[in-house]
Amino acid sequence: MHHTTDLRQARSAASHRKLLRRAGLIGRNLALIVFATFALFPIIWMITCTFKSDAQMYNTVFNFTPTLSNYREVLIGTDYFKAFLQNLVVAGGAVLVTIIAGVPAAYGLARYNFRNKEDIAFQILSFKFAPEILVILPVFLIFQKIGLYDTYFGLIWVYQLITMPLLIWVVRGYFEDISVEIEQAAQLDGYRWYEIFLKVLLPLIKPGLVASGLLAFIYAWNSFTFPLILSGFRIQTITITSLRYIASDSVHYGQVAVAATVAITPEIIACLFIQKHLVRGLSFGAVKG
């Protein structure tokens, strides 16, 4: 009888623990759903506005008559896709140049000791925090003199001020965390210097390179001041093209919402595809020491 009572109590305790775990799991999922809804609400609201007419924009919330007129006006009635492709070329080219030039620079700052190395590294980083409006006027005059105004190469070049500093500093930390003995062992195995760099070091810094490359792409994709001043009628990025939906007497919020929704699509897709490397790259060093 005593054994039966203990067995019942054990089963009751196990069932109680199982209910607590299930309740905790449900509570955690509900909390995550609430947080995700809160975090995604601006995007949900923006997408909702794309289906509203100007007349329903101010007097409705979610109960309205959907319309595709905003999409027709933006995607068919204008050359928005041309600006989209031009922005893709400029932002992608800027990131490509940043990676080609920035990774060797980060390696040099991590591996070699030379005079004023830290001062140079800090000077590179300071470019990222300098207001763009401070340098835009002299850059504009220089570009007009040398023929780079309203060109792809000119925008890609000037974008290095906002893309390269971050990549250099992030990737430099990865290179510093890699032991020099790994390179020496590769040299003993007969690898040439470029083979060591491409086959040994680059795979080890991949998370940091992906994370910083994505952030550099986002900075270049969203840039407004540089293309506003340094591009004209031949090249216009989506940040500049979106201004046409803001009239002098009114704002077509539905069309602005369509332009913004299409504009953020590449960034969202890129984040979803490389989220594993992005998390590892951005969290690097958070739990060290």
Side-chain angles (χ1 to χ4, degrees), residues 166-218:
L166 176 68
L167 184 136
I168 289 178
W169 270 81
V170 172
V171 176
R172 179 195 180 190
Y174 271 82
F175 279 128
E176 290 177 342
D177 196 58
I178 299 174
S179 176
V180 181
E181 284 75 12
I182 295 178
E183 299 179 53
Q184 295 173 347
Q187 289 177 346
L188 293 177
D189 289 338
Y191 283 88
R192 295 181 175 86
W193 67 268
Y194 59 88
E195 293 177 324
I196 296 175
F197 192 82
L198 295 176
K199 297 181 179 180
V200 179
L201 296 180
L202 282 186
L204 294 176
I205 67 168
K206 184 178 179 180
L209 184 59
V210 170
S212 56
L214 176 60
L215 291 177
F217 176 79
I218 292 175

Side-chain angles (χ1 to χ4, degrees), residues 208-250:
L209 184 59
V210 170
S212 56
L214 176 60
L215 291 177
F217 176 79
I218 292 175
Y219 292 148
W221 184 264
N222 295 333
S223 179
F224 177 78
T225 305
F226 286 141
L228 177 65
I229 305 299
L230 301 179
S231 63
F233 296 101
R234 196 170 71 88
I235 298 176
Q236 285 194 352
T237 61
I238 55 174
T239 52
I240 308 304
T241 304
S242 299
L243 292 177
R244 69 178 58 178
Y245 310 116
I246 302 177
S248 59
D249 56 342
S250 63

